[in-house]
Amino acid sequence: MRRQRAVQLVALLAAGRRHRDGQAEVVAAAARALQLCHELLDDLEKAGAVNSHTGSEVLFALSLAYGNHGQPEKALQSYLRTKRVIESVLGDAASESVELNRVRMGIGREAFNLGRFNEAAEAQRAALDFVIPRHGATHPQVLNLRMELVESLLA
């Protein structure tokens, strides 16, 4: 049940990011998602299960919620914690994980938002190095990541 709720939260938050335009319902959804993420995380911490696949999903959702709620420092810290959990759970396989790459992109985005451009560029390079061999140099995600990296390098 927890995993299903976490996945639903990620979907909700992703939709909120795409339609982020300051509307009251988007803000309310982000606040509710933040509350649900904290409840799920509390449950996992009580069970000693944060260091798990479900824990990484909940932390990722929490990172998105903080970002959508205009709290980039908390979002960045949550992404960094998510990264540590994924690396712990997956071990050597983490470097080939799509989940870890989503976290790298989040780290890059939030570090950029905080004016930490070197940290943003480092995360964006790692994300780009992951995506290019899988999608090719002209894939829209690759082009988007390249533009984000250029913005970080020029800032």
Side-chain angles (χ1 to χ4, degrees):
M1 180 65 178
R2 284 188 188 128
R3 182 173 182 194
Q4 183 181 13
R5 285 178 63 193
V7 171
Q8 290 170 345
L9 283 173
V10 171
L12 170 68
L13 291 166
R17 175 147 320 266
R18 282 195 304 271
H19 298 101
R20 187 175 182 177
D21 60 359
Q23 293 179 1
E25 52 273 1
V26 173
V27 173
R32 177 70 179 135
L34 194 58
Q35 178 186 354
L36 288 172
C37 288
H38 279 291
E39 290 172 9
L40 285 167
L41 189 57
D42 287 346
D43 289 346
L44 289 172
E45 286 174 342
K46 287 175 189 170
V50 173
N51 199 23
S52 64
H53 182 71
T54 300
S56 70
E57 289 180 343
V58 171
L59 287 167
F60 182 78
L62 181 62
S63 304
L64 287 172
Y66 278 134
N68 284 343
H69 213 254
Q71 299 178 45
E73 185 62 47
K74 287 184 177 182
L76 180 58
Q77 292 310 312
S78 185
Y79 277 123
L80 292 171
R81 185 177 180 195
T82 306
K83 182 177 184 278
R84 290 190 300 272
V85 168
I86 290 171
E87 290 170 342
S88 174
V89 169
L90 296 181
D92 293 338
S95 64
E96 296 300 313
S97 161
V98 172
E99 292 82 7
L100 182 59
N101 206 56
R102 291 185 316 162
V103 171
R104 288 182 192 121
M105 291 186 287
I107 290 169
R109 180 178 49 254
E110 298 303 341
F112 183 88
N113 290 340
L114 290 166
R116 294 160 59 173
F117 303 117
N118 290 336
E119 188 176 350
E122 182 180 328
Q124 292 160 339
R125 274 193 191 103
L128 195 56
D129 289 345
F130 179 86
V131 172
I132 289 174
R134 286 156 181 81
H135 297 298
T138 59
H139 188 275
Q141 185 178 20
V142 171
L143 298 175
N144 187 48
L145 282 168
R146 282 188 171 153
M147 290 304 300
E148 289 176 6
L149 177 58
V150 167
E151 288 175 6
S152 294
L153 294 172
L154 293 175

